[in-house]
């Protein structure tokens, strides 16, 4: 062990960590640093060294007692590594040459994390995600709709039946990896495998590619997919349809389909999530004298709003549960009605005379607070 290297620190565990805690820490680090997963090879070697010692009760006991001198590094005054010194002699560093298969449950760890303890395996790849836009009317967004989208998806080539080889020929076993799809690098505990570059990890070589799919075994097809848009979607919303994207490779799962909703604007309604905002025009007389107005609600019914005498501009009336459906939840949002007082234009002579009389009878100073 190099000077200053602390096995417990490398694994990120305390000195009194249980065997189960050590194993869990190693699993986490293995996923992160294994070279097959694009990790740091040096860190991978370092954590392997630490795990083999700390996971072995006898070696861990010796390491806890002798620290940095464990494994044949002789402390001052001993003169040399011998039979009586832990890890000394010919077997001082034998653990550094142990294969994964010799490590018991450590081989199982690599099997569950990487699909096999460094042996040959076909690599599964998840299909890519697809994104499409769907145009909806205002009512369709509120009520929900079932619609079709034309999706370009990969499908098995009908000419070569997915083999990628010209009809009448077949793929051959890759001579470099012998069909495993992987090539090994290094030996012993620190050995690992990488995808074979010659066959791109497939284990097969196509000498004469299919002209229809150019050796890929798949071609692009336009396929209509029915998607159910839920009630309450808004403009710019994103809906995920699991497994409706591109099919995976090597037995991998299909990607997802994301539908972006584009909702056409309404003439006088706007959305704020499940809440709907309506601007209600009022004449000066209606605002001053009060009135009752029946309006259509997004819930599909008509509701009556009572305008009190003296209602001001920008007054908001909130009607509970009369808005749009809540997406992925029960109930509806609110309908918020904002008043907009409309000042008349094109007054007749009589209209002006009446307004002047009204102004003379109401001499209160409405701007007293700013002058």
């Amino acid at each position: 062990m190099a000077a200053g290297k602390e096995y417990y620190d490398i694994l990120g565990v305390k000195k009194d960590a249980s065997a189960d805690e050590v194993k869990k820490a190693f699993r986490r680090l293995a996923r992160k640093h294994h070279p097959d997963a694009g990790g740091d090879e040096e860190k991978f070697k370092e954590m392997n060294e630490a795990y083999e010692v700390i996971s072995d009760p006898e070696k861990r006991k010796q390491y806890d007692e002798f620290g940095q001198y464990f494994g044949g590094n002789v402390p001052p005054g001993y003169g040399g590594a011998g039979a009586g010194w832990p890890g000394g002699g010919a077997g001082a560093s034998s653990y550094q040459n142990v294969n994964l298969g010799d490590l018991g449950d450590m081989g199982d760890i690599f099997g569950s994390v990487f699909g096999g303890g460094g042996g040959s395996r076909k690599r599964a790849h998840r299909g890519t995600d697809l994104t499409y836009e769907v145009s909806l009317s205002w009512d369709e967004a509120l009520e929900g709709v079932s619609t079709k989208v034309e999706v370009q998806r990969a499908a098995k080539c009908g000419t070569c039946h997915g083999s990628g080889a010209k009809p009448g020929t077949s793929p051959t076993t890759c001579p470099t990896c012998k069909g495993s799809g992987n090539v090994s690098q290094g030996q012993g505990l620190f050995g690992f495998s990488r995808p074979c570059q010659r066959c791109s990890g497939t284990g097969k070589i196509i000498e004469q590619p299919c002209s229809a799919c150019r050796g890929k075994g798949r071609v692009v097809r336009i396929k209509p997919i029915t998607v159910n848009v839920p009630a309450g979607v808004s403009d710019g919303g994103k809906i995920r349809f699991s497994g409706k994207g591109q099919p995976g490779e090597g037995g991998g799962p299909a990607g997802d389909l994301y539908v972006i909703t584009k909702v056409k604007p309404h003439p006088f309604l706007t959305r704020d999530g499940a809440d709907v905002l309506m601007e209600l025009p009022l004449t000066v007389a209606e605002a001053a004298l009060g009135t009752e107005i029946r309006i259509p609600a997004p819930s599909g019914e008509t509701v009556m709003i009572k305008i009190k005498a003296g209602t001001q501009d920008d007054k908001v009336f909130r009607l509970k549960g009369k808005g749009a459906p809540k997406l992925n939840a029960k109930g509806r949002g609110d309908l918020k009605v904002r008043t907009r007082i409309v000042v008349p234009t094109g007054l007749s002579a009589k209209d002006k005379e009446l307004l002047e009389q009204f102004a003379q009878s109401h001499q209160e100073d409405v701007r007293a607070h700013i002058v």
Side-chain angles (χ1 to χ4, degrees):
M1 180 178 66
K5 187 186 298 182
E6 169 57 64
Y7 286 153
Y8 291 105
D9 290 342
I10 291 172
L11 294 176
V13 297
K14 296 180 179 180
K15 289 189 175 182
D16 59 352
S18 66
D20 187 56
E21 290 173 332
V22 171
K23 182 186 293 185
K24 287 181 179 179
F26 178 76
R27 283 179 182 270
R28 184 179 64 255
L29 293 172
R31 292 188 179 95
K32 181 177 181 182
H33 296 303
H34 196 282
D36 281 1
D40 188 313
E41 183 177 346
E42 291 304 317
K43 288 185 178 180
F44 179 68
K45 293 179 180 179
E46 189 177 69
M47 68 165 218
N48 269 338
E49 179 184 336
Y51 179 76
E52 192 196 350
V53 173
I54 302 303
S55 64
D56 184 298
E58 185 61 30
K59 291 179 181 178
R60 182 174 181 176
K61 180 179 179 181
Q62 294 176 5
Y63 173 73
D64 289 343
E65 181 176 357
F66 299 105
Q68 65 175 310
Y69 302 113
F70 170 82
N73 295 317
V74 183
Y78 277 79
W85 182 252
S93 56
S94 60
Y95 67 88
Q96 295 183 354
N97 297 313
V98 179
N99 288 307
L100 290 178
D102 299 327
L103 296 179
D105 62 352
M106 190 160 140
D108 296 335
I109 292 174
F110 282 106
S112 62
V113 174
F114 301 108
S120 63
R121 60 188 183 274
K122 294 294 189 300
R123 294 177 179 270
H125 296 280
R126 179 181 180 275
T128 56
D129 296 333
L130 299 175
T131 302
Y132 284 82
E133 288 187 357
V134 171
S135 295
L136 304 173
S137 68
W138 175 271
D139 290 337
E140 287 174 334
L142 260 62
E143 298 169 5
V145 67
S146 179
T147 186
K148 289 185 178 181
V149 294
E150 301 290 330
V151 177
Q152 292 186 350
R153 301 183 71 194
K156 182 186 292 185
C157 177
T159 302
C160 65
H161 304 291
S163 71
K166 180 181 177 180
T169 68
S170 300
T172 59
T173 300
C174 175
T176 301
C177 65
K178 305 298 188 293
S180 69
N182 302 308
V183 291
S184 299
Q185 294 183 353
Q187 295 180 349
L189 176 63
F190 303 139
F192 55 90
S193 62
R194 295 190 183 278
C196 176
Q197 293 184 354
R198 182 168 182 178
C199 65
S200 300
T202 64
K204 298 290 184 181
I205 296 293
I206 299 175
E207 302 287 353
Q208 300 182 60
C210 169
S211 59
C213 65
R214 298 182 180 179
K216 295 181 179 179
R218 303 199 295 179
V219 292
V220 175
R221 294 277 187 264
I222 297 178
K223 180 180 179 181
I225 295 180
T226 299
V227 294
N228 296 315
V229 179
V233 297
S234 56
D235 185 56
K238 190 175 185 180
I239 310 170
R240 174 176 169 267
F241 296 92
S242 179
K244 297 293 186 180
Q246 293 286 15
E249 297 181 9
D256 298 332
L257 170 64
Y258 290 91
V259 172
I260 309 299
T261 54
K262 294 297 180 182
V263 182
K264 297 177 181 178
H266 193 276
F268 54 85
L269 298 175
T270 56
R271 291 275 302 277
D272 181 14
D275 292 339
V276 178
L277 177 63
M278 171 190 291
E279 292 196 347
L280 180 62
L282 296 176
T283 66
V284 174
E286 288 174 330
L289 301 176
T291 186
E292 289 186 354
I293 302 175
R294 187 174 294 277
I295 61 172
S299 57
E301 57 189 310
T302 58
V303 294
M304 186 72 75
I305 292 184
K306 185 176 182 180
I307 306 298
K308 295 182 179 180
T311 294
Q312 301 297 306
D313 187 59
D314 208 32
K315 167 72 175 178
V316 176
F317 296 87
R318 182 184 289 270
L319 305 180
K320 293 284 188 179
K322 302 299 182 182
K326 294 180 179 178
L327 191 61
N328 301 323
K330 294 182 178 180
R332 287 177 170 268
D334 301 334
L335 172 60
K336 295 185 285 188
V337 181
R338 189 186 306 275
T339 60
R340 288 292 183 237
I341 299 176
V342 180
V343 178
T345 58
L347 297 175
S348 64
K350 185 170 180 61
D351 291 336
K352 292 180 180 179
E353 181 181 350
L354 292 173
L355 282 175
E356 288 174 354
Q357 292 176 5
F358 177 81
Q360 290 176 3
S361 62
H362 293 76
Q363 294 293 332
E364 67 270 19
D365 190 350
V366 296
R367 292 179 292 279
H369 64 292
I370 62 173
V371 295

